[in-house]
């Protein structure tokens, strides 16, 4: 589409808007009738560790959303000479899981406890045993049950519990709903009917008895499937998102989704035997499975696609945060030496340096544990770098080790699926910050998992583009057209991405690194125990 046609589509509201609240960035993507991004806006933010809890304040949520939308509107104005007053549909996505609870007067009862917290070990273990279903520590129900076990006084006053995406969607529309994918990280979902699992709801009810005035089904958001109407933007919601008053109310919204679901959509990984890797602040692999796993694995989550298909998820709390901190440090070194290099060039230069390294990273060891890591049994994290006098300590080896460290815990989880459950995939689709530098992230990930990795040109747009596609599906689907068909035939037709096969020397190099990594767990344990 040329600029004139795009401008007219914006004026006519023939666009779709997706907004995703990620761990370090809130991003908005506006797409045209051909599903291609035509404008974007962003806002950087960070979580805080307050009283031992990883959190974001709700004030920061709205400041960030408003700044993100303002930047998007500015991009539209500068690029096409028109205001962004309406769009065909809107979708809201955010980090999954966590704990957001409110009383009947909509007062927030405790600060937002994000997915990153590893403070629900007892609750998660007990629920996993009672449900015979893996309940990870970051899931909403684990946070709720842990609060009950802790005898926290606020629990009796809960009237509504939701995710970050569900909260924002509610404030924009007045609808207490979740997309099925996001809901499947709140409480287990039965994929036969795409509703909360009835038997497990019953079990939870017996655990809590008559201790509270509320019952769990009464405080959970309702579940909607992709393509179902999820309310419209109210006047109050429009002003919340755009205080300037330009954005019009009445715009339909698709069901709010989690970042796992939007990652599936953004990589066309919603059909059986497809899979994708999301590599950002956290890192995870999602594989749409044909049948249930043979047993419960605490390391493997079972969630769903936005249309309710079962998905095996290996999620690691620690992705690129430590890597980003090191690259920021290298940027400071460049600045004090009066070398001018912008952030994208710095990342590209350092990532590419890793391709010059020894295959195993030169004998270096690095743990990227900024937070706890359940896959490897660490309730807290301590970023740690170690080497022996004989290690080959070069910049190239350090960068390769740094990149290897982002994938190590993930490999240990994926081993369960490939070795114990015999899950086979021809390729995984990658998206997120790790894959922005051409080929490097792909090569590292392919070697780490011993699976070919493909990246599409749209990978950098990530989940914001994914939720924009779900908004477009709400707007444009025809009759009983499935999400799988819509994506395959109308969005990704002929686009399978650029695939990189793992190379044998890289596979062997990573095997040496992962052996060193697992043997180094006592070092990381000592750091957790003694670095307070």
């Amino acid at each position: 589409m040329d600029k004139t046609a795009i401008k007219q589509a914006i004026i006519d509201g023939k666009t779709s808007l997706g907004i995703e609240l990620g761990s370090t960035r809130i991003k908005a993507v506006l797409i045209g009738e051909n599903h291609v991004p035509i404008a974007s806006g962003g806002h950087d933010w960070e979580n805080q560790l307050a009283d031992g809890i990883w959190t974001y304040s709700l004030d920061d949520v709205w400041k960030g959303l408003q700044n993100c939308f303002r930047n998007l509107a500015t991009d539209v104005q500068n690029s096409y000479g028109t205001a962004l007053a309406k769009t065909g549909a809107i979708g809201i996505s955010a980090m999954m899981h966590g704990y957001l609870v409110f009383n009947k007067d909509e007062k927030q009862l405790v600060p937002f406890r994000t997915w990153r917290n590893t403070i629900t070990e007892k609750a998660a273990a007990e629920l996993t045993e009672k449900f015979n279903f893996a309940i990870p520590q970051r899931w909403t129900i684990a946070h709720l049950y842990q609060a009950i076990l802790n005898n926290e006084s606020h629990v009796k006053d809960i009237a509504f519990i939701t995710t970050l995406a569900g909260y924002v969607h509610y404030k924009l529309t007045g609808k207490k709903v979740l997309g099925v994918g996001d809901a499947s990280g709140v409480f287990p979902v039965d994929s036969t009917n795409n509703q909360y699992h009835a038997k497990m709801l019953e079990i939870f009810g017996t655990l809590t008895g008559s201790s509270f005035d509320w019952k769990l089904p009464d405080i959970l958001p309702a579940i909607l499937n992709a393509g179902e109407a999820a309310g419209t933007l109210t006047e109050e919601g429009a002003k919340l998102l755009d205080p300037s008053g330009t954005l019009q109310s009445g715009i339909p919204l698709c069901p709010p989704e989690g970042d796992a679901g939007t990652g599936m959509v953004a990589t066309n990984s919603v059909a059986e035997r497809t899979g994708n890797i999301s590599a950002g602040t956290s890192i995870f692999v999602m594989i749409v499975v044909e049948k249930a796993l043979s047993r419960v694995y605490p390391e493997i989550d079972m969630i769903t696609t936005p249309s309710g298909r079962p998905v095996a998820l290996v999620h690691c709390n620690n992705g690129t945060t430590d890597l980003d901190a090191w690259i920021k440090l290298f940027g400071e070194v460049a600045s004090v030496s009066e070398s001018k290099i912008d952030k994208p060039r710095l990342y590209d230069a350092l990532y590419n340096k890793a391709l010059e390294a020894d295959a195993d990273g030169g004998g270096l060891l690095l743990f990227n544990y900024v937070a706890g890591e359940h896959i490897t049994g660490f309730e807290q994290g301590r970023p740690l770098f170690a080497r022996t006098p004989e290690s080959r300590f070069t910049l190239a080896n350090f960068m390769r080790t740094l990149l290897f460290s982002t994938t190590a815990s993930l490999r240990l989880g994926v081993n369960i699926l490939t070795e114990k459950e015999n899950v086979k995939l021809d390729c995984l689709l990658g998206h997120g910050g790790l894959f922005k530098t051409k080929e490097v992230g792909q090569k590292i990930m392919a070697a780490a998992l011993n699976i070919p990795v493909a990246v599409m040109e749209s990978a950098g747009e990530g989940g914001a583009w994914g939720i924009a596609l779900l908004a477009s599906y709400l707007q444009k689907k025809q009759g009983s057209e499935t999400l799988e068909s819509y994506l395959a035939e109308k969005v990704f037709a002929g686009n399978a991405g650029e695939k990189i096969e793992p190379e044998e020397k890289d596979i062997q190099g990573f095997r040496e690194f992962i052996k060193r990594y697992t043997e180094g767990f006592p070092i990381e344990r000592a750091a957790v125990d003694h670095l307070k």
Side-chain angles (χ1 to χ4, degrees), residues 19-28 40-46 56 59-72:
I19 302 175
E20 182 158 282
L21 295 94
S23 302
T24 60
R25 186 168 175 78
I26 302 172
K27 186 168 184 179
S40 64
H43 172 82
D44 292 334
W45 70 337
E46 282 287 352
Y56 301 83
D59 284 344
D60 286 345
V61 168
W62 293 109
K63 288 175 184 175
L65 281 168
Q66 290 167 3
N67 190 45
C68 177
F69 186 85
R70 186 183 308 114
N71 291 333
L72 170 70

Side-chain angles (χ1 to χ4, degrees), residues 518-530:
T518 53
E519 290 174 349
F521 284 157
I523 307 172
E524 176 66 14
R525 172 54 60 191
V528 171
D529 291 344
H530 298 289

